[in-house]
Amino acid sequence: MSAELHQLGVAGLAAALRERKVSAVEAAHHHLSRIRAHQDLGAFVAIDEQLTLSQARAADDRIAAGSAAPLEGVPIAHKDIFVTADLPTTAGSRILAGYRSPFDATVVRKLGEAGAVTLGKLSCDEFAMGSANENVAVPAIGFDHAVPVRNPWDTGRIPGGSSGGSAVAVAARLAPGATGTDTGGSIRQPASFCGVTGIKPTYGRASRYGMVAFASSLDQAGPMARSAEDCALLLSAMCGPDPERDSTSLARPAEDFSRQLAGSLDGLRIGVPKEFFGEGVAPGVRAAVDAALAEYEKLGARRVEITLPRTELSIPVYYIIAAAEASSNLSRFDGVKFGHRAKNYRDLADMYAQTREEGFGDEVKRRIMIGTYVLSHGYYDAYYLQAQKVRRMIADDFQQAFAQCDVIAGPAAPSVAWKLGEHGDDPVADYLADIFTLPGSLAGLPGMSVPAGFDGGLPVGLQLIGNYFAEAKLLNAAHAFQQATDWHLRTPGGY
């Protein structure tokens, strides 16, 4: 069975482990060997085989004793934005070189308590700032310098970002599941580009404790895996209140997100925003999404035309609010307490300046400068305050839409993955790629990307957006679609 292990998703592997068809140690060995064989993709930045195998042996002992947790022995990997006590954490940045956390992030801890075995840490854009996973300053395993993560469907193309390493690990069958974070689309967009399933829950569902902060009012953890069923299992373990550690955590009890997976879609109203099908959408992407919507109609759902009139405003609103919060959050990286410190400096102020100059990459510096500007005296009201007002209007637009529909559907991104380096020094081109994911993030809504076809041999993702706390409904809609199609089962050649 070992030859087929990497083709099993989270649910399939969990079942095989419970039934003793395979051991956790065998599953760990198999995936570690695949990670080494495909390290040219640049997906992993840290592994510790002894740690992984030790966790796997403990999982086998619990299975043998009949005390297995839901994910017992299932190997997964974590985005390098979550702190881990047993593995280094860099958030993709030189400024955190050599940092070891004294504790695990809540999401990491909860998945461990559910029985998951840690394979390693995954590459991400520096401080989760990016749409391509090209803003990386930390070497991947097998490299002595920083490299962008490569899309396994075409290694000359980007995987999407910032959770590009997570999407690639799942797509290339290096791990059955992975954690990611989504600030403005960083789970949904790479899931779309790599042909995997990813879900961002309602803001506050999963604890942010131990997640290196980018934009505190937007950052949210979520899983990436092969299928909606796999994501439901992972999300059920990840979510739950954490009020003692995270002030943004919601007092909402953990729940089984797989409980509605098999439900019927008869009468489901799917809202289709006209703004998601404008001139900027590639014809192949639109065709794939239209075909997916037609499939939903066969399953008993009904299309409803809706409007989200402030969709275009989500880009300037997001890049004002996110940059403002980043400038505040990243002020803690000063070379005093942890991470990189400049060797040559004149005084304390110069140490701060030299450390941050050496430690931060260009995109991070750009966002810090924008954020500092919009928060400065004389500009706060004109930019930041206005952006927050429009953010509320965007959230109101969604509530008006949900009065007419149950789920909103459209493209996760206006195009498929572009070539490495294609956007060069034009950050705005990357920003525009997030236009369909940003509105839901600003409103704090749950959203997911589901494989829905191909355009020129590259994956296309269908985005599903639900109202607050409608994760189970989204996963039900995604699962029904995946039971009727096989897009999520397609594997890139050679993997």
Side-chain angles (χ1 to χ4, degrees), residues 236-258:
S236 297
M238 293 170 67
C239 290
D242 192 21
E244 294 181 2
R245 299 178 181 88
D246 176 15
S247 62
T248 64
S249 175
L250 296 172
R252 187 92 178 186
E255 60 181 88
D256 178 9
F257 291 112
S258 63

Side-chain angles (χ1 to χ4, degrees), residues 25-105:
V25 169
E26 288 175 313
H29 266 303
H30 183 80
H31 286 90
L32 285 169
S33 67
R34 287 188 60 78
I35 291 167
R36 289 192 299 269
H38 298 293
Q39 61 188 26
D40 58 304
L41 292 171
F44 279 80
V45 293
I47 58 173
D48 183 334
E49 295 192 15
Q50 290 187 345
L51 170 69
T52 299
L53 294 174
S54 174
Q55 292 182 359
R57 283 190 288 269
D60 279 332
D61 290 342
R62 289 189 291 270
I63 292 170
S67 58
L71 298 174
E72 201 69 69
V74 176
I76 65 168
H78 295 292
K79 182 176 179 178
D80 194 29
I81 207 79
F82 294 101
V83 301
T84 45
D86 297 320
L87 289 163
T89 301
T90 69
S93 180
R94 287 186 296 270
I95 207 161
L96 275 172
Y99 175 65
R100 289 270 184 160
S101 170
F103 63 93
D104 285 331

Side-chain angles (χ1 to χ4, degrees), residues 381-458:
D381 289 351
Y383 292 101
Y384 184 73
L385 188 60
Q386 291 299 320
Q388 291 287 17
K389 290 178 180 177
V390 178
R391 180 183 191 175
R392 169 50 56 193
M393 294 176 185
I394 290 170
D396 290 343
D397 288 344
F398 275 106
Q399 292 310 303
Q400 292 178 29
F402 282 122
Q404 307 169 58
C405 65
D406 304 303
V407 171
I408 294 171
S415 71
V416 293
W418 54 88
K419 293 180 180 178
L420 287 164
E422 183 175 332
H423 289 175
D425 296 324
D426 182 10
V428 176
D430 281 5
Y431 300 168
L432 293 173
D434 297 333
I435 187 168
F436 299 140
T437 55
L438 292 177
S441 290
L442 289 166
L445 296 167
M448 65 186 300
S449 179
V450 182
F454 290 85
D455 178 14
L458 297 168

Side-chain angles (χ1 to χ4, degrees), residues 10 20 24 64 75 94 109 130 199 223 226 243 246 253 266 303 308 317 327 334 354 391 398 415 420 427 429 470 483:
V10 173
R20 312 288 289 277
R94 287 186 296 270
R109 176 180 58 79
I199 181 167
R226 316 276 171 79
D246 176 15
D266 283 342
R303 290 178 62 156
L308 295 172
V317 167
S327 73
D334 54 14
Q354 294 298 329
R391 180 183 191 175
F398 275 106
S415 71
L420 287 164
Q483 293 299 104

Side-chain angles (χ1 to χ4, degrees), residues 340-347 350-351 353-355 358:
H340 173 75
R341 177 185 292 182
K343 292 182 179 179
N344 301 310
Y345 51 88
R346 297 184 303 275
D347 51 31
D350 190 48
M351 187 200 76
Q354 294 298 329
T355 295
E358 295 172 9

